Amino acid sequence: MSSQSANGPRIAVVVPTYDREALVRATLEALTRQGVPASEFEVVVSDDGSSDGTRGVVEGFADRLRVRYSFQEDLGFRAAAARNAGVGLTTAPVLVFVDAGVVPGPDFLAAHLAVHESDPGRPAAVIGYTFGYRPDEPAPATGAGPTSPEELVRHHRDAPDFRDARHLAFERFGFDLGRCTVPWQWFWSVNCSVRAEDFHAVGGFDEGFRGWGGEDLELAFRLFRHGVGFEVSRDAWAVEAPHPKDSSSNPESNAANVLLFLRLHPEPVVELLWAWFTRPRAGLVVDHEWNVEDEHLLFLDALDRSRSADVGGAADPFTAPAGRKVAVFGCGRDLRAWPASAVLFDFDPEVVAAAGHGVRHAIGIRTPLPDDSVDLVVITPRLGELWGRWGDAVLREAHRIGAEVRVLG
């Protein structure tokens, strides 16, 4: 990847916002203090239908920043569409996404650029470290005194409630996400960057996402499948300014959006993500610091131990009365055991690949089938290695979609 021409920006910062003029001002003010010259980057504030003075705030920085303003009608929370609209106004080869109220440190843009320009042949998505960002908790108390982001970090960087909410996860891997299997789960749009060519190659943010949460993870999932690696940059740090959060509706919105994510990408690792976000209601046992990486490692181990297991003789006595709609969890390779009209699921990608379109890829923790859509759900012994961890969740899902549940073996 080459840098933009002398007249074009090397990097663009896209800031979606809605009725947060004071937070937008704080973000823009911090961007005027970057080590990268203002002539080499641009900022696009993408307004999701504000009725406050956001436009005036943005225009007030025109003498200090290369800044653009995008506005879309207020049709509800549409951050994905706002970000895409912002991207549409820039030709910069590197795109940085931050939320309104994220206050970057002085080397923020230089650090993002360093990753993308250091190895043009290695596609990368950068996760910037964000102090004070704890989406499910109140803003940390930093006391009186320091006001600049540098001073805040100098005074509070080691305070547990001031660290990035992902800090323990990052620390576990030595801040090297090449050592984990689900790096995309930590790509949050509060502070992240990606090359424009990779962003466009996967289609940008999916505008079907409405409300808070999920759209950044789904984009990251597609980037991961596209071959983009993920890297944490502690140098590309920023501080989230304290502001009110909708703690009552955000979790519900996030869970709904992760369900949309699962419908777009129905496969076991996304089922595990859905289980993570719905864990209080799903009732899954939490015996460690829960995250999708841990669950995925458990799944991969169970998958490996299940490779030699099949339905075998357990399906021999199985019969389904004519006309009954049947779904099978853990159908195995020999599909002759099941009615031709049955909806078949298996968690092993090799089984799914061998069957072509005849088998859907799922554990059975959450399927795309509607409530009460089948008469009978059959669960086979192939789920035996997975049962201790996810059996209760699989049974709940089976009872959600089926009038009767039969566990074989």
Side-chain angles (χ1 to χ4, degrees):
M1 182 195 70
S2 60
S3 298
Q4 194 81 340
S5 68
N7 294 324
R10 296 167 64 196
I11 189 168
V13 185
V14 178
V15 188
T17 189
Y18 175 75
D19 280 348
R20 289 182 169 178
E21 58 180 292
L23 295 179
V24 170
R25 181 180 288 107
T27 299
L28 296 179
E29 188 65 47
L31 289 171
T32 67
R33 301 191 296 269
Q34 292 298 296
V36 174
S39 60
E40 296 184 10
F41 70 92
E42 68 181 353
V43 183
V44 183
V45 176
S46 194
D47 196 332
D48 190 18
S50 295
S51 58
D52 63 0
T54 295
R55 180 189 289 270
V57 168
V58 174
E59 292 172 348
F61 281 85
D63 60 337
R64 291 180 283 167
L65 292 171
R66 295 175 62 162
V67 63
R68 298 172 182 263
Y69 178 76
S70 171
F71 182 87
Q72 65 186 22
E73 183 183 357
D74 182 5
L75 298 177
F77 196 132
R78 297 188 295 147
R83 293 192 189 98
N84 284 347
V87 170
L89 293 181
T90 183
T91 59
V94 175
L95 304 170
V96 178
F97 298 98
V98 298
D99 289 343
V102 170
V103 183
D107 298 321
F108 174 81
L109 290 179
H112 275 286
L113 277 170
V115 177
H116 294 292
E117 294 183 346
S118 63
D119 185 354
R122 181 175 63 90
V126 180
I127 300 168
Y129 193 93
T130 309
F131 289 98
Y133 185 63
R134 311 188 73 80
D136 298 326
E137 301 173 18
T142 54
T147 55
S148 72
E150 302 97 301
E151 289 179 316
L152 283 170
V153 170
R154 192 176 305 118
H155 282 76
H156 303 287
R157 68 178 309 134
D158 295 325
D161 65 347
F162 188 65
R163 296 188 302 190
D164 191 305
R166 301 161 289 187
H167 184 93
L168 291 178
F170 295 157
E171 192 173 57
R172 168 180 168 183
F173 299 104
F175 285 79
D176 177 9
L177 296 188
R179 295 168 52 189
C180 67
T181 66
V182 195
W184 50 265
Q185 70 174 302
W186 293 298
F187 186 81
W188 299 351
S189 55
V190 63
N191 173 5
C192 62
S193 67
V194 65
R195 294 176 188 172
E197 60 186 298
D198 295 318
F199 179 85
H200 292 299
V202 301
F205 287 98
D206 189 315
E207 297 183 12
F209 285 86
R210 302 290 187 96
W212 186 82
E215 78 283 351
D216 44 8
L217 301 186
E218 194 273 337
L219 170 67
F221 180 84
R222 285 182 281 123
L223 288 169
F224 183 65
R225 290 298 169 87
H226 187 62
V228 175
F230 289 78
E231 183 168 328
V232 179
S233 174
R234 302 185 77 173
D235 295 328
W237 63 264
V239 177
E240 187 190 46
H243 63 274
K245 299 174 183 177
D246 190 350
S247 58
S248 61
S249 64
N250 279 355
E252 181 178 349
S253 172
N254 208 9
N257 278 347
V258 173
L259 184 56
L260 172 59
F261 183 175
L262 178 57
R263 288 171 178 154
L264 293 170
H265 308 284
E267 56 183 89
V269 69
V270 189
E271 281 185 279
L272 297 175
L273 178 75
W274 179 85
W276 190 94
F277 278 106
T278 59
R279 61 195 184 281
R281 283 170 289 179
L284 294 174
V285 176
V286 180
D287 56 12
H288 57 278
E289 184 188 354
W290 186 289
N291 62 56
V292 183
E293 178 70 17
D294 288 333
E295 297 304 296
H296 194 231
L297 291 174
L298 289 171
F299 168 72
L300 292 177
D301 180 62
L303 170 62
D304 186 59
R305 288 184 280 109
S306 299
R307 280 264 155 81
S308 61
D310 214 325
V311 176
D316 291 344
F318 172 79
T319 56
R324 296 192 80 190
K325 296 179 181 178
V326 179
V328 180
F329 293 174
C331 63
R333 295 178 182 273
D334 187 358
L335 308 185
R336 294 172 298 177
W338 315 116
S341 60
V343 183
L344 304 178
F345 297 91
D346 202 277
F347 53 86
D348 189 338
E350 294 181 3
V351 170
V352 175
H357 296 292
V359 176
R360 305 187 190 194
H361 196 196
I363 298 169
I365 294 173
R366 178 71 193 212
T367 72
L369 298 183
D371 292 355
D372 303 316
S373 55
V374 298
D375 300 304
L376 173 65
V377 179
V378 178
I379 302 172
T380 81
R382 279 183 49 74
L383 273 74
E385 294 290 348
L386 290 76
W387 201 253
R389 183 68 182 171
W390 299 290
D392 288 346
V394 170
L395 283 173
R396 277 191 295 274
E397 175 65 4
H399 284 289
R400 182 187 70 83
I401 66 173
E404 179 187 349
V405 176
R406 189 181 303 179
V407 180
L408 303 183

